[in-house]
């Protein structure tokens, strides 16, 4: 695990090594053990190392071939590197280290771009092939490891790396806010576009690679999430799950340092922890809300039953609000999903003991774990009414006050593509547009973002369509990005055994009826887990990382903190301040629950103050 940054030289002469040194300083948290630099007349590469496999300096990066013609920087882990090493040895390759880094480089020397089809792991990497004048940049199939790139420079330099913040130290990078990003953010609560909140800075799409040669840039996909269900009985699917998860956990424990496990009260992390058998598990809850927003007691109980040590922490509101600027700085872009808050403190807790942890991300998307994947009995009956009638009732309901009845009638006239955008749906689009100044209306609509994915899965059932969308938007742009940034903030490697190519192949073959019904979720996975876990844990409903934010925002101290921010002069650039303050007041006075509305805007403001402080004049707006 590490972080890297690099750039292809532009027309403007700069001090290449001094520049890369400054860029590396901004990501020292990703690799505090050592650093390395490579620079020639075309390309400069920088690397920060968190030592996990082959702790010797021989495995340090940038890593070069014996003749020096090919250079690699690589973030992540290749879990099948030993099998690939044996395969390459048969072809005559010799190895000087026991690292997966050397295997990746020599795999490229032998297989070229086809090495991507052979890799099992989480990765982002750049290979500079000097003789062929090729820059080969790639990202893993699920987007577990981040990778950004940009030509938003004054001299056409191309920058790439693990975190956007490193680009800010490059003298030709032009830092500008992407005006199109704010509109979809308010609804999704995270950056759902490929172009980031920094104009001209893009995320490389998961499962794709970039080739740069002679000034030409090509981006191509090498992996797609295909659902090919089988007719095997449930017992066969359960057995397949047991075998592949066991295998994946074993692969994900490959390490020369200590490995721990995150543990909540749910089936996903509990299943992983039981198979891993770690020395220590880690959990967090919220002080003062132990009975409402806390799974630490469940994690402790399971740890005692399975004979693990469990370390846990109860987080206070003061700690959350104090850490928020640092959290948003680490995120690179604003992300108001509340689960990033406990995850930050959970990673901090674990980092005191271990360098690697396993976690349960991805199980819900692969095995059908979200409640919204379940078919609705009421909606199924309602949609049997002729469409013109449902559309007429929706038209009548639309201008009426919003409640569960009018929402039902509105949704009843829509297809799944129209009513489901993924897990997050914070600001209604009409409310968001009313709040935003017209300058920021230019961003894409929700439909603009989700339609390309729905177009690729036409003919599938509703649950599969929702899974497919979540795998392409919610999972890489929120779940995994948050997991990477919050763990690496504390120099901790987070591994996700459910998000493995072999696991996906098994999960994608499971029929929807063995994933979700009107009564339950993750049916096949729970049956597999039941053979490893006590029944209460295998069958427990998903709780997630609940955070008492709506309660905190009704406390005077935190209300005043948000109010102070919302009254600042720069807010007027983006929002209708009167309307924004109305939402804040209404929530504080318990006239309505606008907690998520308020928090989503507040997080954007905190992020903006971290990355554009020069535009945040400390003047209060007359309230």
């Amino acid at each position: 695990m590490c972080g890297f940054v690099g750039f292809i030289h532009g027309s403007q002469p700069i001090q290449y090594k001094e520049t890369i040194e400054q860029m590396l300083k901004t990501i020292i948290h990703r690799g505090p053990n050592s650093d390395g630099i490579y620079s020639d007349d075309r390309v400069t590469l920088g690397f920060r190392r968190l030592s996990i496999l082959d702790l010797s300096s021989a495995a340090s990066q940038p890593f070069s071939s014996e003749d020096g013609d090919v250079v690699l920087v690589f973030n992540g882990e290749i879990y099948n590197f030993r099998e690939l090493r044996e395969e390459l040895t048969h072809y005559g390759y010799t190895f000087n280290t026991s690292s997966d880094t050397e295997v990746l480089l020599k795999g490229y020397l032998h297989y070229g771009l086809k090495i991507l089809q052979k890799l099992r792991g989480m990765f982002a990497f750049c290979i500079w092939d000097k003789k062929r004048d090729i820059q080969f940049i790639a990202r893993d199939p699920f987007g577990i490891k981040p990778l950004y790139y940009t030509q938003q420079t004054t001299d056409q330099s191309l920058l790439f790396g693990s975190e956007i913040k490193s680009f800010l130290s490059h003298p030709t990078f032009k830092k500008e806010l992407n005006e199109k990003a704010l509109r979809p953010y308010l609804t999704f609560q995270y950056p759902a576009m490929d172009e980031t909140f920094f104009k001209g800075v893009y995320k490389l799409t998961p499962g794709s690679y970039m080739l740069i040669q002679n000034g030409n840039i090509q981006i191509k996909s090498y992996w797609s999430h295909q659902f090919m269900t089988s007719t095997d009985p449930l017992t066969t699917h359960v057995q397949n799950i047991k075998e592949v998860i066991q295998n994946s956990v074993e692969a994900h424990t490959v390490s020369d340092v200590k490995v721990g496990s995150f543990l909540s009260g749910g089936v996903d992390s509990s299943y992983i922890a039981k198979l891993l058998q770690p020395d220590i598990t880690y959990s967090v809850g919220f002080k003062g809300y132990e009975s409402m927003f806390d799974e630490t007691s469940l994690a402790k109980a399971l740890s005692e039953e399975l004979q693990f040590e469990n370390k846990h922490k109860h987080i206070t509101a003061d700690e959350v609000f104090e850490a928020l600027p640092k959290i948003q700085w680490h995120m690179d872009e604003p992300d108001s999903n509340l689960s990033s808050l406990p995850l930050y403190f959970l990673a901090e807790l674990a980092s005191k003991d271990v360098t690697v942890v396993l976690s349960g991300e991805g199980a819900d998307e692969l095995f059908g774990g979200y409640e919204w994947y379940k078919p609705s009995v009421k909606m199924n009956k309602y949609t049997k009414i002729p469409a013109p009638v449902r559309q007429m009732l929706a038209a009548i309901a639309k201008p009426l006050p919003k409640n569960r009845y009018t929402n039902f009638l509105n949704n009843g006239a829509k297809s799944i593509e129209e009513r489901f955008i993924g897990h997050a749906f914070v600001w209604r689009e009409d409310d968001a547009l009313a709040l935003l100044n017209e300058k920021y209306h230019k961003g894409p609509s929700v439909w603009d973002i989700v339609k390309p994915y729905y177009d690729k899965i036409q003919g599938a059932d509703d649950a599969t369509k929702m899974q497919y969308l979540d795998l392409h938007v919610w999972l890489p742009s929120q779940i995994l990005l948050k997991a990477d940034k919050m763990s690496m903030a504390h120099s901790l490697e987070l591994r996700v055994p459910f998000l493995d190519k072999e696991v996906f192949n098994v999960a994608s073959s499971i029929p929807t009826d063995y994933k979700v019904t009107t009564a339950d979720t993750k049916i096949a996975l729970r049956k597999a887990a039941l053979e490893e876990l006590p029944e209460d844990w295998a069958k427990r409903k998903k709780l997630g990382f609940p955070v008492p934010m709506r309660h905190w925002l009704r406390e005077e101290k935190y209300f005043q903190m948000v109010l102070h921010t919302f009254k600042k002069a720069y807010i007027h650039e983006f929002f209708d301040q009167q309307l924004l303050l109305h939402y804040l007041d209404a929530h504080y006075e318990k006239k309505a629950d606008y907690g998520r509305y308020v928090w989503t805007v507040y997080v954007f403001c905190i992020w903006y103050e971290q990355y554009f402080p020069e535009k945040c004049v400390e003047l209060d707006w007359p309230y």
Side-chain angles (χ1 to χ4, degrees):
M1 176 67 81
C2 64
F4 66 82
V5 63
F7 54 91
I8 298 175
H9 304 167
S11 58
Q12 182 176 328
I14 62 171
Q15 298 297 316
Y16 301 127
K17 289 189 176 180
E18 289 81 354
T19 295
I20 205 75
E21 285 173 355
Q22 291 302 313
M23 297 173 83
L24 285 171
K25 284 180 181 178
T26 65
I27 58 168
I28 191 171
H29 50 278
R30 297 193 72 92
N33 297 130
S34 64
D35 65 3
I37 293 173
Y38 169 86
S39 188
D40 60 26
D41 60 345
R42 298 288 305 281
V43 170
T44 298
L45 304 172
F47 174 80
R48 297 273 354 167
R49 186 183 188 195
L50 179 63
S51 301
I52 291 172
L53 280 172
D54 191 341
L55 307 184
S56 70
S57 59
S60 294
Q61 300 180 40
F63 193 91
S64 299
S65 58
E66 282 88 345
D67 59 10
D69 286 339
V70 180
V71 186
L72 165 71
V73 283
F74 156 54
N75 170 27
E77 306 290 346
I78 306 301
Y79 298 121
N80 63 336
F81 78 97
R82 287 174 177 151
E83 295 94 323
L84 288 172
R85 178 188 175 117
E86 185 176 344
E87 190 175 299
L88 290 165
T89 300
H90 288 310
Y91 287 114
Y93 290 88
T94 58
F95 293 85
N96 301 311
T97 73
S98 59
S99 72
D100 55 351
T101 303
E102 186 175 13
V103 172
L104 176 56
L105 184 140
K106 291 183 176 175
Y108 166 76
L109 292 178
H110 186 75
Y111 296 109
L113 305 185
K114 293 180 181 178
I115 184 60
L116 289 170
Q117 304 299 334
K118 291 183 168 288
L119 300 179
R120 181 184 185 184
M122 57 178 189
F123 54 84
F125 64 77
C126 170
I127 292 175
W128 169 225
D129 190 331
K130 290 188 281 185
K131 275 193 173 180
R132 298 173 65 198
D133 188 27
I134 289 178
Q135 199 93 7
F136 174 34
I137 301 173
R139 192 177 179 201
D140 68 71
F142 298 99
I144 304 169
K145 295 289 98 189
L147 185 52
Y148 302 94
Y149 66 94
T150 185
Q151 279 192 297
Q152 179 76 359
T153 55
T154 58
D155 67 346
Q156 291 300 296
S157 296
L158 189 142
L159 284 54
F160 51 88
S162 304
E163 298 193 8
I164 300 172
K165 61 180 67 67
S166 64
F167 298 168
L168 275 60
S169 298
H170 193 283
T172 72
F173 177 67
K174 297 184 291 185
K175 184 184 73 170
E176 294 181 49
L177 182 72
N178 177 11
E179 296 175 353
K180 296 180 291 185
L182 189 52
R183 175 185 173 183
Y185 161 77
L186 291 180
T187 296
F188 283 96
Q189 74 174 325
Y190 60 89
M193 299 163 47
D194 286 339
E195 187 177 10
T196 70
F197 263 81
F198 293 88
K199 183 178 179 181
V201 178
Y202 294 85
K203 294 175 281 193
L204 185 63
T205 306
S208 66
Y209 65 89
M210 174 188 290
L211 281 181
I212 308 165
Q213 187 174 28
N214 299 323
N216 296 317
I217 299 174
Q218 296 181 60
I219 297 178
K220 296 184 178 181
S221 173
Y222 69 88
W223 167 271
S224 62
H225 301 300
Q226 300 288 340
F227 289 85
M228 302 292 290
T229 58
S230 81
T231 57
D232 290 333
L234 178 58
T235 52
T236 300
H237 289 291
V238 170
Q239 184 61 34
N240 291 342
I241 291 170
K242 287 170 54 184
E243 292 173 1
V244 78
I245 297 297
Q246 178 72 57
N247 176 269
S248 183
V249 169
E250 290 173 359
H252 281 69
T253 58
V254 174
S255 172
D256 292 328
V257 296
K258 199 172 180 180
V259 180
S261 184
F262 289 165
L263 182 61
S264 66
V267 62
D268 306 335
S269 63
S270 299
Y271 193 12
I272 295 298
K274 174 60 170 62
L275 295 177
L276 174 64
Q277 296 286 311
D279 294 321
I280 311 177
T281 60
Y282 302 91
S283 313
V284 292
F286 290 95
K287 192 170 184 178
Y289 293 89
E290 288 83 355
S291 63
M292 299 170 60
F293 300 93
D294 199 340
E295 290 187 288
T296 58
S297 58
L298 295 172
K300 183 180 179 182
L302 182 63
S303 294
E304 289 175 352
E305 182 162 343
L306 301 180
Q307 298 183 325
F308 310 144
E309 179 184 357
N310 176 254
K311 291 189 176 182
H312 58 271
K313 172 184 173 63
H314 285 96
I315 309 161
T316 66
D318 281 349
E319 288 177 305
V320 167
F321 278 85
E322 182 181 347
L324 186 60
K326 186 180 294 185
I327 289 172
Q328 292 307 311
W329 182 82
H330 277 291
M331 286 300 299
D332 276 336
E333 299 182 81
D335 189 319
S336 63
N337 185 280
L338 292 167
S339 61
S340 63
L341 306 174
L343 184 55
Y344 176 84
F345 291 98
L346 183 60
E348 181 181 48
L349 178 66
S351 68
K352 296 174 182 178
D353 303 312
V354 297
T355 309
V356 178
V357 291
L358 267 56
S359 189
E361 279 85 353
D364 293 314
E365 290 79 8
L366 265 62
F367 292 97
Y370 293 122
E371 285 292 314
W372 52 87
Y373 292 164
K374 290 163 61 174
S376 165
V377 175
K378 290 181 180 179
M379 186 61 74
N380 284 348
K381 290 181 179 178
Y382 184 67
T383 53
K384 289 182 170 59
I385 297 173
V389 177
R390 287 183 280 118
Q391 290 164 1
M392 179 188 68
L393 292 172
I396 294 171
K398 188 173 182 179
L400 297 176
K402 299 177 181 67
N403 55 50
R404 63 193 180 100
Y405 303 109
T406 56
N407 287 340
F408 180 85
L409 292 174
N410 280 314
N411 286 331
K414 298 176 181 177
S415 66
I416 191 65
E417 291 87 347
E418 293 172 303
R419 67 175 184 262
F420 182 77
I421 70 163
H423 171 65
F425 197 135
V426 178
W427 280 79
R428 290 173 56 94
E429 284 197 278
D430 52 351
D431 287 347
L433 291 173
L435 179 73
L436 286 168
N437 291 334
E438 190 172 348
K439 178 180 179 181
Y440 297 94
H441 287 197
K442 64 181 70 172
S445 68
V446 166
W447 183 242
D448 292 334
I449 291 173
V450 303
K451 185 179 184 298
Y453 301 107
Y454 278 129
D455 285 347
K456 294 177 182 178
I457 193 93
Q458 292 180 24
D461 61 75
D462 285 357
T464 301
K465 288 179 179 179
M466 289 187 277
Q467 278 185 274
Y468 189 84
L469 182 67
D470 278 344
L471 279 166
H472 288 86
V473 183
W474 164 247
L475 183 68
S477 296
Q478 207 292 311
I479 294 289
L480 294 176
L481 200 62
K482 168 194 65 185
D484 175 85
K485 299 294 178 65
M486 294 298 91
S487 58
M488 290 311 300
H490 302 288
S491 306
L492 180 73
E493 173 168 297
L494 188 147
R495 298 180 180 178
V496 284
F498 285 114
L499 291 175
D500 173 84
K501 286 167 68 174
E502 300 303 321
V503 175
F504 178 81
N505 289 338
V506 168
S508 63
S509 72
I510 301 172
T512 297
D513 289 347
Y514 296 159
K515 294 178 184 177
V516 293
T517 64
T518 56
D520 205 359
T521 60
K522 284 187 288 202
I523 295 165
L525 179 65
R526 291 184 192 279
K527 286 188 177 295
L530 190 58
E531 299 189 25
E532 298 287 346
L533 296 171
E535 186 174 0
D536 287 349
W537 272 267
K539 293 186 175 181
R540 183 170 287 114
K541 287 187 176 182
K542 182 177 180 62
L543 182 60
F545 256 152
V547 179
M549 186 55 66
R550 64 187 176 93
H551 299 284
W552 289 341
L553 292 173
R554 284 171 173 157
E555 294 183 27
E556 182 67 20
K557 180 177 182 179
Y558 310 113
F559 165 75
Q560 289 294 338
M561 290 175 67
V562 177
L563 177 63
H564 176 73
T565 296
F566 284 2
K567 289 167 67 177
K568 291 180 179 178
Y570 77 84
I571 299 297
H572 182 67
E573 161 67 17
F574 305 104
F575 308 110
D576 179 329
Q577 286 183 298
Q578 295 263 17
L579 183 56
L580 182 59
L581 292 167
H582 159 75
Y583 283 123
L584 176 61
D585 286 341
H587 181 79
Y588 175 67
E589 295 168 3
K590 300 184 180 179
K591 294 177 180 177
D593 184 359
Y594 289 127
R596 298 301 299 278
Y597 272 30
V598 169
W599 181 250
T600 301
V601 175
Y602 183 63
V603 165
F604 166 76
C605 297
I606 296 301
W607 170 83
Y608 189 71
E609 290 178 6
Q610 300 306 301
Y611 281 97
F612 293 87
E614 67 280 4
K615 296 184 180 294
C616 301
V617 181
E618 288 291 331
L619 294 174
D620 287 345
W621 183 77
Y623 176 59

